[in-house]
PDB file of all heavy atoms in Angstrom:
ATOM      1  N   ALA A   1       0.797  -1.225   0.001  1.00 89.00           N
ATOM      2  CA  ALA A   1       0.016   0.005   0.057  1.00 89.00           C
ATOM      3  C   ALA A   1       0.892   1.282   0.063  1.00 89.00           C
ATOM      4  O   ALA A   1       0.596   2.179  -0.763  1.00 89.00           O
ATOM      5  CB  ALA A   1      -0.963   0.030   1.150  1.00 89.00           C
ATOM      6  N   ALA A   2       1.951   1.192   0.755  1.00 89.00           N
ATOM      7  CA  ALA A   2       2.821   2.397   0.896  1.00 89.00           C
ATOM      8  C   ALA A   2       3.536   2.626  -0.418  1.00 89.00           C
ATOM      9  O   ALA A   2       3.736   3.696  -0.928  1.00 89.00           O
ATOM     10  CB  ALA A   2       3.898   2.282   1.972  1.00 89.00           C
ATOM     11  N   MET A   3       3.865   1.378  -1.042  1.00 90.00           N
ATOM     12  CA  MET A   3       4.578   1.528  -2.365  1.00 90.00           C
ATOM     13  C   MET A   3       3.689   2.121  -3.471  1.00 90.00           C
ATOM     14  O   MET A   3       4.216   3.089  -4.146  1.00 90.00           O
ATOM     15  CB  MET A   3       4.938   0.073  -2.847  1.00 90.00           C
ATOM     16  CG  MET A   3       5.425  -0.090  -4.176  1.00 90.00           C
ATOM     17  SD  MET A   3       5.710  -1.865  -4.542  1.00 90.00           S
ATOM     18  CE  MET A   3       4.015  -2.411  -4.900  1.00 90.00           C
ATOM     19  N   VAL A   4       2.408   1.795  -3.501  1.00 87.00           N
ATOM     20  CA  VAL A   4       1.512   2.349  -4.493  1.00 87.00           C
ATOM     21  C   VAL A   4       1.432   3.922  -4.318  1.00 87.00           C
ATOM     22  O   VAL A   4       1.492   4.597  -5.168  1.00 87.00           O
ATOM     23  CB  VAL A   4       0.208   1.605  -4.474  1.00 87.00           C
ATOM     24  CG1 VAL A   4      -0.894   2.358  -5.264  1.00 87.00           C
ATOM     25  CG2 VAL A   4       0.313   0.217  -4.947  1.00 87.00           C
ATOM     26  N   LYS A   5       1.161   4.193  -3.074  1.00 88.00           N
ATOM     27  CA  LYS A   5       1.096   5.682  -2.684  1.00 88.00           C
ATOM     28  C   LYS A   5       2.362   6.406  -3.180  1.00 88.00           C
ATOM     29  O   LYS A   5       2.248   7.631  -3.628  1.00 88.00           O
ATOM     30  CB  LYS A   5       0.898   5.786  -1.161  1.00 88.00           C
ATOM     31  CG  LYS A   5      -0.408   5.481  -0.619  1.00 88.00           C
ATOM     32  CD  LYS A   5      -0.498   5.725   0.810  1.00 88.00           C
ATOM     33  CE  LYS A   5      -1.770   5.046   1.423  1.00 88.00           C
ATOM     34  NZ  LYS A   5      -1.791   5.084   2.865  1.00 88.00           N
ATOM     35  N   LYS A   6       3.473   5.941  -2.793  1.00 89.00           N
ATOM     36  CA  LYS A   6       4.693   6.626  -3.189  1.00 89.00           C
ATOM     37  C   LYS A   6       4.956   6.688  -4.600  1.00 89.00           C
ATOM     38  O   LYS A   6       5.362   7.665  -5.283  1.00 89.00           O
ATOM     39  CB  LYS A   6       5.984   5.934  -2.519  1.00 89.00           C
ATOM     40  CG  LYS A   6       5.780   5.647  -0.982  1.00 89.00           C
ATOM     41  CD  LYS A   6       6.174   6.897  -0.258  1.00 89.00           C
ATOM     42  CE  LYS A   6       5.893   6.597   1.327  1.00 89.00           C
ATOM     43  NZ  LYS A   6       6.222   7.737   2.160  1.00 89.00           N
ATOM     44  N   MET A   7       4.545   5.582  -5.368  1.00 88.00           N
ATOM     45  CA  MET A   7       4.808   5.631  -6.909  1.00 88.00           C
ATOM     46  C   MET A   7       3.868   6.700  -7.437  1.00 88.00           C
ATOM     47  O   MET A   7       4.267   7.326  -8.357  1.00 88.00           O
ATOM     48  CB  MET A   7       4.485   4.169  -7.519  1.00 88.00           C
ATOM     49  CG  MET A   7       5.654   3.296  -7.236  1.00 88.00           C
ATOM     50  SD  MET A   7       5.752   1.904  -8.268  1.00 88.00           S
ATOM     51  CE  MET A   7       4.277   0.930  -7.682  1.00 88.00           C
ATOM     52  N   ARG A   8       2.552   6.882  -6.873  1.00 86.00           N
ATOM     53  CA  ARG A   8       1.898   7.989  -7.435  1.00 86.00           C
ATOM     54  C   ARG A   8       2.383   9.292  -7.077  1.00 86.00           C
ATOM     55  O   ARG A   8       2.397  10.225  -7.942  1.00 86.00           O
ATOM     56  CB  ARG A   8       0.467   7.785  -6.679  1.00 86.00           C
ATOM     57  CG  ARG A   8      -0.463   6.670  -7.095  1.00 86.00           C
ATOM     58  CD  ARG A   8      -1.809   6.626  -6.394  1.00 86.00           C
ATOM     59  NE  ARG A   8      -2.617   5.468  -6.696  1.00 86.00           N
ATOM     60  CZ  ARG A   8      -3.515   5.018  -5.955  1.00 86.00           C
ATOM     61  NH1 ARG A   8      -3.950   5.561  -4.805  1.00 86.00           N
ATOM     62  NH2 ARG A   8      -4.328   3.999  -6.300  1.00 86.00           N
ATOM     63  N   GLU A   9       2.930   9.380  -5.770  1.00 88.00           N
ATOM     64  CA  GLU A   9       3.465  10.628  -5.423  1.00 88.00           C
ATOM     65  C   GLU A   9       4.629  11.138  -6.203  1.00 88.00           C
ATOM     66  O   GLU A   9       4.778  12.289  -6.620  1.00 88.00           O
ATOM     67  CB  GLU A   9       3.886  10.439  -3.856  1.00 88.00           C
ATOM     68  CG  GLU A   9       4.333  11.665  -3.185  1.00 88.00           C
ATOM     69  CD  GLU A   9       4.754  11.392  -1.774  1.00 88.00           C
ATOM     70  OE1 GLU A   9       4.190  10.482  -1.043  1.00 88.00           O
ATOM     71  OE2 GLU A   9       5.883  11.949  -1.373  1.00 88.00           O
ATOM     72  N   PHE A  10       5.383  10.199  -6.589  1.00 87.00           N
ATOM     73  CA  PHE A  10       6.654  10.476  -7.437  1.00 87.00           C
ATOM     74  C   PHE A  10       6.417  10.386  -8.844  1.00 87.00           C
ATOM     75  O   PHE A  10       7.349  10.620  -9.648  1.00 87.00           O
ATOM     76  CB  PHE A  10       7.853   9.493  -7.000  1.00 87.00           C
ATOM     77  CG  PHE A  10       8.268   9.616  -5.493  1.00 87.00           C
ATOM     78  CD1 PHE A  10       8.474   8.485  -4.771  1.00 87.00           C
ATOM     79  CD2 PHE A  10       8.466  10.845  -4.930  1.00 87.00           C
ATOM     80  CE1 PHE A  10       8.818   8.517  -3.371  1.00 87.00           C
ATOM     81  CE2 PHE A  10       8.850  10.924  -3.552  1.00 87.00           C
ATOM     82  CZ  PHE A  10       8.993   9.702  -2.790  1.00 87.00           C
ATOM     83  N   GLY A  11       5.188   9.985  -9.235  1.00 87.00           N
ATOM     84  CA  GLY A  11       4.861   9.996 -10.682  1.00 87.00           C
ATOM     85  C   GLY A  11       5.653   8.925 -11.443  1.00 87.00           C
ATOM     86  O   GLY A  11       5.995   9.029 -12.564  1.00 87.00           O
ATOM     87  N   ILE A  12       5.877   7.787 -10.778  1.00 86.00           N
ATOM     88  CA  ILE A  12       6.686   6.631 -11.422  1.00 86.00           C
ATOM     89  C   ILE A  12       5.594   5.784 -12.210  1.00 86.00           C
ATOM     90  O   ILE A  12       4.731   5.150 -11.781  1.00 86.00           O
ATOM     91  CB  ILE A  12       7.312   5.847 -10.328  1.00 86.00           C
ATOM     92  CG1 ILE A  12       8.477   6.620  -9.768  1.00 86.00           C
ATOM     93  CG2 ILE A  12       7.873   4.460 -10.938  1.00 86.00           C
ATOM     94  CD1 ILE A  12       9.224   5.941  -8.543  1.00 86.00           C
ATOM     95  N   SER A  13       5.806   5.685 -13.526  1.00 82.00           N
ATOM     96  CA  SER A  13       5.027   5.046 -14.418  1.00 82.00           C
ATOM     97  C   SER A  13       5.767   4.005 -15.400  1.00 82.00           C
ATOM     98  O   SER A  13       5.179   3.234 -16.127  1.00 82.00           O
ATOM     99  CB  SER A  13       3.973   5.854 -15.129  1.00 82.00           C
ATOM    100  OG  SER A  13       4.767   6.957 -15.834  1.00 82.00           O
ATOM    101  N   ASP A  14       7.142   4.428 -15.626  1.00 84.00           N
ATOM    102  CA  ASP A  14       7.903   3.544 -16.503  1.00 84.00           C
ATOM    103  C   ASP A  14       7.908   2.212 -15.923  1.00 84.00           C
ATOM    104  O   ASP A  14       8.184   1.940 -14.888  1.00 84.00           O
ATOM    105  CB  ASP A  14       9.314   4.190 -16.474  1.00 84.00           C
ATOM    106  CG  ASP A  14      10.210   3.342 -17.445  1.00 84.00           C
ATOM    107  OD1 ASP A  14      10.190   3.556 -18.571  1.00 84.00           O
ATOM    108  OD2 ASP A  14      10.964   2.590 -16.859  1.00 84.00           O
ATOM    109  N   PRO A  15       7.764   1.139 -16.837  1.00 80.00           N
ATOM    110  CA  PRO A  15       7.637  -0.235 -16.363  1.00 80.00           C
ATOM    111  C   PRO A  15       8.924  -0.656 -15.603  1.00 80.00           C
ATOM    112  O   PRO A  15       8.882  -1.362 -14.688  1.00 80.00           O
ATOM    113  CB  PRO A  15       7.595  -1.051 -17.636  1.00 80.00           C
ATOM    114  CG  PRO A  15       6.953  -0.076 -18.682  1.00 80.00           C
ATOM    115  CD  PRO A  15       7.377   1.289 -18.377  1.00 80.00           C
ATOM    116  N   ASP A  16      10.162  -0.259 -16.161  1.00 84.00           N
ATOM    117  CA  ASP A  16      11.429  -0.561 -15.410  1.00 84.00           C
ATOM    118  C   ASP A  16      11.401   0.014 -14.017  1.00 84.00           C
ATOM    119  O   ASP A  16      11.877  -0.716 -13.155  1.00 84.00           O
ATOM    120  CB  ASP A  16      12.614  -0.114 -16.316  1.00 84.00           C
ATOM    121  CG  ASP A  16      12.854  -1.053 -17.444  1.00 84.00           C
ATOM    122  OD1 ASP A  16      12.380  -2.286 -17.384  1.00 84.00           O
ATOM    123  OD2 ASP A  16      13.551  -0.680 -18.389  1.00 84.00           O
ATOM    124  N   GLU A  17      11.064   1.313 -13.974  1.00 88.00           N
ATOM    125  CA  GLU A  17      11.106   1.904 -12.716  1.00 88.00           C
ATOM    126  C   GLU A  17      10.089   1.337 -11.743  1.00 88.00           C
ATOM    127  O   GLU A  17      10.441   1.219 -10.487  1.00 88.00           O
ATOM    128  CB  GLU A  17      10.855   3.604 -12.902  1.00 88.00           C
ATOM    129  CG  GLU A  17      11.880   4.038 -13.748  1.00 88.00           C
ATOM    130  CD  GLU A  17      11.884   5.644 -13.656  1.00 88.00           C
ATOM    131  OE1 GLU A  17      10.919   6.168 -13.034  1.00 88.00           O
ATOM    132  OE2 GLU A  17      12.672   6.298 -14.369  1.00 88.00           O
ATOM    133  N   ILE A  18       8.952   0.934 -12.170  1.00 86.00           N
ATOM    134  CA  ILE A  18       8.022   0.217 -11.247  1.00 86.00           C
ATOM    135  C   ILE A  18       8.598  -0.975 -10.777  1.00 86.00           C
ATOM    136  O   ILE A  18       8.481  -1.306  -9.504  1.00 86.00           O
ATOM    137  CB  ILE A  18       6.662   0.006 -12.128  1.00 86.00           C
ATOM    138  CG1 ILE A  18       5.861   1.303 -12.462  1.00 86.00           C
ATOM    139  CG2 ILE A  18       5.792  -1.053 -11.325  1.00 86.00           C
ATOM    140  CD1 ILE A  18       4.736   1.081 -13.426  1.00 86.00           C
ATOM    141  N   MET A  19       9.245  -1.872 -11.648  1.00 85.00           N
ATOM    142  CA  MET A  19       9.831  -3.033 -11.230  1.00 85.00           C
ATOM    143  C   MET A  19      10.969  -2.840 -10.195  1.00 85.00           C
ATOM    144  O   MET A  19      11.087  -3.484  -9.191  1.00 85.00           O
ATOM    145  CB  MET A  19      10.371  -3.830 -12.364  1.00 85.00           C
ATOM    146  CG  MET A  19       9.320  -4.331 -13.318  1.00 85.00           C
ATOM    147  SD  MET A  19       8.036  -5.263 -12.466  1.00 85.00           S
ATOM    148  CE  MET A  19       8.889  -6.615 -11.934  1.00 85.00           C
ATOM    149  N   TRP A  20      11.790  -1.689 -10.507  1.00 88.00           N
ATOM    150  CA  TRP A  20      12.835  -1.351  -9.485  1.00 88.00           C
ATOM    151  C   TRP A  20      12.125  -1.057  -8.084  1.00 88.00           C
ATOM    152  O   TRP A  20      12.755  -1.489  -7.074  1.00 88.00           O
ATOM    153  CB  TRP A  20      13.682  -0.201  -9.995  1.00 88.00           C
ATOM    154  CG  TRP A  20      14.554  -0.561 -11.049  1.00 88.00           C
ATOM    155  CD1 TRP A  20      15.043  -1.668 -11.559  1.00 88.00           C
ATOM    156  CD2 TRP A  20      14.979   0.456 -12.104  1.00 88.00           C
ATOM    157  NE1 TRP A  20      15.812  -1.551 -12.659  1.00 88.00           N
ATOM    158  CE2 TRP A  20      15.756  -0.168 -13.062  1.00 88.00           C
ATOM    159  CE3 TRP A  20      14.856   1.871 -12.300  1.00 88.00           C
ATOM    160  CZ2 TRP A  20      16.388   0.390 -14.094  1.00 88.00           C
ATOM    161  CZ3 TRP A  20      15.377   2.479 -13.264  1.00 88.00           C
ATOM    162  CH2 TRP A  20      16.222   1.714 -14.327  1.00 88.00           C
ATOM    163  N   PHE A  21      11.265  -0.063  -8.126  1.00 89.00           N
ATOM    164  CA  PHE A  21      10.556   0.370  -6.890  1.00 89.00           C
ATOM    165  C   PHE A  21       9.962  -0.776  -6.099  1.00 89.00           C
ATOM    166  O   PHE A  21      10.227  -0.952  -4.995  1.00 89.00           O
ATOM    167  CB  PHE A  21       9.456   1.371  -7.285  1.00 89.00           C
ATOM    168  CG  PHE A  21       9.153   2.314  -6.141  1.00 89.00           C
ATOM    169  CD1 PHE A  21       9.660   3.583  -6.001  1.00 89.00           C
ATOM    170  CD2 PHE A  21       8.331   1.833  -5.078  1.00 89.00           C
ATOM    171  CE1 PHE A  21       9.324   4.389  -5.091  1.00 89.00           C
ATOM    172  CE2 PHE A  21       8.098   2.705  -4.057  1.00 89.00           C
ATOM    173  CZ  PHE A  21       8.493   4.048  -3.957  1.00 89.00           C
ATOM    174  N   LYS A  22       9.334  -1.645  -6.836  1.00 87.00           N
ATOM    175  CA  LYS A  22       8.700  -2.901  -6.157  1.00 87.00           C
ATOM    176  C   LYS A  22       9.770  -3.810  -5.619  1.00 87.00           C
ATOM    177  O   LYS A  22       9.676  -4.310  -4.539  1.00 87.00           O
ATOM    178  CB  LYS A  22       7.924  -3.601  -7.363  1.00 87.00           C
ATOM    179  CG  LYS A  22       7.114  -4.723  -6.831  1.00 87.00           C
ATOM    180  CD  LYS A  22       6.280  -5.336  -7.954  1.00 87.00           C
ATOM    181  CE  LYS A  22       5.705  -6.558  -7.696  1.00 87.00           C
ATOM    182  NZ  LYS A  22       6.782  -7.475  -7.356  1.00 87.00           N
ATOM    183  N   SER A  23      10.803  -4.043  -6.328  1.00 86.00           N
ATOM    184  CA  SER A  23      11.814  -5.017  -5.828  1.00 86.00           C
ATOM    185  C   SER A  23      12.467  -4.445  -4.599  1.00 86.00           C
ATOM    186  O   SER A  23      12.736  -5.048  -3.750  1.00 86.00           O
ATOM    187  CB  SER A  23      12.790  -5.182  -7.015  1.00 86.00           C
ATOM    188  OG  SER A  23      13.859  -6.073  -6.521  1.00 86.00           O
ATOM    189  N   PHE A  24      12.834  -3.084  -4.563  1.00 88.00           N
ATOM    190  CA  PHE A  24      13.609  -2.450  -3.464  1.00 88.00           C
ATOM    191  C   PHE A  24      12.654  -2.391  -2.258  1.00 88.00           C
ATOM    192  O   PHE A  24      13.022  -2.672  -1.184  1.00 88.00           O
ATOM    193  CB  PHE A  24      14.011  -1.071  -3.810  1.00 88.00           C
ATOM    194  CG  PHE A  24      14.952  -1.039  -4.994  1.00 88.00           C
ATOM    195  CD1 PHE A  24      15.018   0.009  -5.866  1.00 88.00           C
ATOM    196  CD2 PHE A  24      15.971  -1.998  -5.196  1.00 88.00           C
ATOM    197  CE1 PHE A  24      15.918   0.008  -6.895  1.00 88.00           C
ATOM    198  CE2 PHE A  24      16.733  -2.148  -6.186  1.00 88.00           C
ATOM    199  CZ  PHE A  24      16.834  -0.970  -7.119  1.00 88.00           C
ATOM    200  N   ALA A  25      11.343  -2.021  -2.583  1.00 87.00           N
ATOM    201  CA  ALA A  25      10.448  -1.899  -1.460  1.00 87.00           C
ATOM    202  C   ALA A  25      10.247  -3.171  -0.710  1.00 87.00           C
ATOM    203  O   ALA A  25      10.064  -3.198   0.520  1.00 87.00           O
ATOM    204  CB  ALA A  25       9.024  -1.319  -1.899  1.00 87.00           C
ATOM    205  N   HIS A  26      10.234  -4.238  -1.395  1.00 86.00           N
ATOM    206  CA  HIS A  26       9.961  -5.659  -0.781  1.00 86.00           C
ATOM    207  C   HIS A  26      11.295  -6.451  -0.693  1.00 86.00           C
ATOM    208  O   HIS A  26      11.177  -7.576  -0.345  1.00 86.00           O
ATOM    209  CB  HIS A  26       8.945  -6.281  -1.530  1.00 86.00           C
ATOM    210  CG  HIS A  26       7.534  -5.786  -1.320  1.00 86.00           C
ATOM    211  ND1 HIS A  26       6.647  -6.128  -0.389  1.00 86.00           N
ATOM    212  CD2 HIS A  26       6.859  -4.889  -2.105  1.00 86.00           C
ATOM    213  CE1 HIS A  26       5.520  -5.449  -0.458  1.00 86.00           C
ATOM    214  NE2 HIS A  26       5.616  -4.700  -1.530  1.00 86.00           N
ATOM    215  N   ARG A  27      12.332  -5.821  -1.023  1.00 84.00           N
ATOM    216  CA  ARG A  27      13.668  -6.358  -0.874  1.00 84.00           C
ATOM    217  C   ARG A  27      13.868  -7.705  -1.696  1.00 84.00           C
ATOM    218  O   ARG A  27      14.341  -8.730  -1.275  1.00 84.00           O
ATOM    219  CB  ARG A  27      14.089  -6.681   0.635  1.00 84.00           C
ATOM    220  CG  ARG A  27      13.865  -5.371   1.474  1.00 84.00           C
ATOM    221  CD  ARG A  27      14.355  -5.558   2.767  1.00 84.00           C
ATOM    222  NE  ARG A  27      14.077  -4.329   3.518  1.00 84.00           N
ATOM    223  CZ  ARG A  27      14.452  -3.868   4.782  1.00 84.00           C
ATOM    224  NH1 ARG A  27      15.187  -4.796   5.506  1.00 84.00           N
ATOM    225  NH2 ARG A  27      14.071  -2.865   5.400  1.00 84.00           N
ATOM    226  N   GLY A  28      13.120  -7.607  -2.812  1.00 82.00           N
ATOM    227  CA  GLY A  28      13.273  -8.827  -3.782  1.00 82.00           C
ATOM    228  C   GLY A  28      12.338 -10.040  -3.312  1.00 82.00           C
ATOM    229  O   GLY A  28      12.437 -11.064  -3.994  1.00 82.00           O
ATOM    230  N   ARG A  29      11.472  -9.831  -2.309  1.00 85.00           N
ATOM    231  CA  ARG A  29      10.650 -10.887  -1.773  1.00 85.00           C
ATOM    232  C   ARG A  29       9.359 -10.978  -2.495  1.00 85.00           C
ATOM    233  O   ARG A  29       8.919  -9.800  -3.076  1.00 85.00           O
ATOM    234  CB  ARG A  29      10.423 -10.908  -0.296  1.00 85.00           C
ATOM    235  CG  ARG A  29      11.791 -10.688   0.444  1.00 85.00           C
ATOM    236  CD  ARG A  29      11.483 -10.567   1.912  1.00 85.00           C
ATOM    237  NE  ARG A  29      11.059 -11.897   2.460  1.00 85.00           N
ATOM    238  CZ  ARG A  29      11.916 -12.742   2.968  1.00 85.00           C
ATOM    239  NH1 ARG A  29      13.152 -12.604   2.907  1.00 85.00           N
ATOM    240  NH2 ARG A  29      11.425 -13.914   3.460  1.00 85.00           N
ATOM    241  N   PRO A  30       8.598 -11.958  -2.481  1.00 88.00           N
ATOM    242  CA  PRO A  30       7.181 -11.997  -3.066  1.00 88.00           C
ATOM    243  C   PRO A  30       6.338 -10.997  -2.272  1.00 88.00           C
ATOM    244  O   PRO A  30       6.524 -10.853  -1.106  1.00 88.00           O
ATOM    245  CB  PRO A  30       6.665 -13.412  -2.954  1.00 88.00           C
ATOM    246  CG  PRO A  30       7.909 -14.181  -2.374  1.00 88.00           C
ATOM    247  CD  PRO A  30       8.951 -13.284  -1.861  1.00 88.00           C
ATOM    248  N   GLU A  31       5.250 -10.562  -2.996  1.00 90.00           N
ATOM    249  CA  GLU A  31       4.339  -9.788  -2.188  1.00 90.00           C
ATOM    250  C   GLU A  31       2.980  -9.863  -2.902  1.00 90.00           C
ATOM    251  O   GLU A  31       2.848 -10.295  -4.071  1.00 90.00           O
ATOM    252  CB  GLU A  31       4.798  -8.289  -2.229  1.00 90.00           C
ATOM    253  CG  GLU A  31       5.122  -7.733  -3.600  1.00 90.00           C
ATOM    254  CD  GLU A  31       3.908  -6.830  -4.088  1.00 90.00           C
ATOM    255  OE1 GLU A  31       2.865  -6.664  -3.354  1.00 90.00           O
ATOM    256  OE2 GLU A  31       4.162  -6.267  -5.123  1.00 90.00           O
TER     257      GLU A  31
END
């Protein structure tokens, strides 16, 4: 939930950047 809010806040929409953000937020773990 925090990840989605922050991505909206920072305007992250590029597919690669979404994958980076998601991977770092969850430390490479499933979510």
Side-chain angles (χ1 to χ4, degrees):
M3 173 184 79
V4 172
K5 285 179 194 168
K6 306 283 178 180
M7 285 199 290
R8 285 176 185 165
E9 188 184 316
F10 298 133
I12 291 173
S13 58
D14 176 81
D16 282 341
E17 294 190 4
I18 289 171
M19 292 310 293
W20 291 336
F21 202 102
K22 185 176 163 312
S23 177
F24 300 146
H26 288 276
R27 307 187 187 188
R29 304 178 75 88
E31 56 101 359

